[in-house]
Amino acid sequence: MSSALFKRAIVAGIIGAILIDVFLIVVGHQKIPGLWQFVASTLIGPVAFTSTSYAFLGLLMHFVISIVWAVLYAYVYRAMNQLSNWILGTIAWGIVVDVVMQGVLAARGVAPFTLSGVIAALVPHVIFFALPVAYYLSRTPASARR
């Protein structure tokens, strides 16, 4: 992966992280700092809910996780030469991110892995994370994709 594509993937991950957080906050699924305390709880457990000071850890984790997903997306779709088909990339990657993240939450004992949970989280993961990531990366010049 070129350094230009890697840098664009980092920016795409940051954009996706911001947009999914804004969506969750605006529609009332989460409030600040609870959103980030929840993220931190996947690493350190329920103690994250005892103090808002854990929100920074959750915020940092969320951005790192979003950047990792965006870099993985750039690598996978560059390898498959599909960055130009960002709509297909959005749907496929959004589903992958959603299912894996729901699996991580279930494995950590934070939330059970259920079909309804996967479906409920699909909208934010596809529209507010994968869509901006795929769109932004699809605008990467061809020379930077090598």
Side-chain angles (χ1 to χ4, degrees):
M1 177 183 308
S2 72
S3 64
L5 182 57
F6 183 75
K7 289 175 188 173
R8 287 185 64 84
I10 290 171
V11 172
I14 292 169
I15 291 168
I18 291 169
L19 291 177
I20 199 167
D21 281 357
V22 168
F23 169 79
L24 292 172
I25 292 164
V26 167
V27 299
H29 286 299
Q30 295 285 335
K31 293 182 175 143
I32 298 175
L35 170 63
W36 299 315
Q37 285 176 280
F38 174 76
V39 175
S41 76
T42 63
L43 179 65
I44 61 172
V47 71
F49 296 108
T50 62
S51 171
T52 57
S53 63
Y54 290 105
F56 180 74
L57 172 62
L59 176 65
L60 180 64
M61 286 175 57
H62 189 247
F63 275 87
V64 168
I65 291 165
S66 294
I67 289 168
V68 167
W69 277 115
V71 168
L72 287 172
Y73 173 84
Y75 178 76
V76 167
Y77 278 88
R78 182 195 63 83
M80 293 172 42
N81 198 22
Q82 295 294 317
L83 276 175
S84 60
N85 190 347
W86 63 273
I87 295 172
L88 177 61
T90 293
I91 295 166
W93 202 247
I95 292 169
V96 168
V97 171
D98 181 38
V99 170
V100 171
M101 294 307 294
Q102 294 299 316
V104 168
L105 292 176
R108 296 288 300 152
V110 176
F113 189 86
T114 63
L115 180 59
S116 62
V118 169
I119 292 170
L122 236 129
V123 169
H125 282 116
V126 171
I127 295 174
F128 296 98
F129 180 76
L131 176 68
V133 167
Y135 179 77
Y136 185 81
L137 288 175
S138 75
R139 298 302 178 242
T140 302
S143 61
R145 294 183 196 170
R146 296 187 187 108

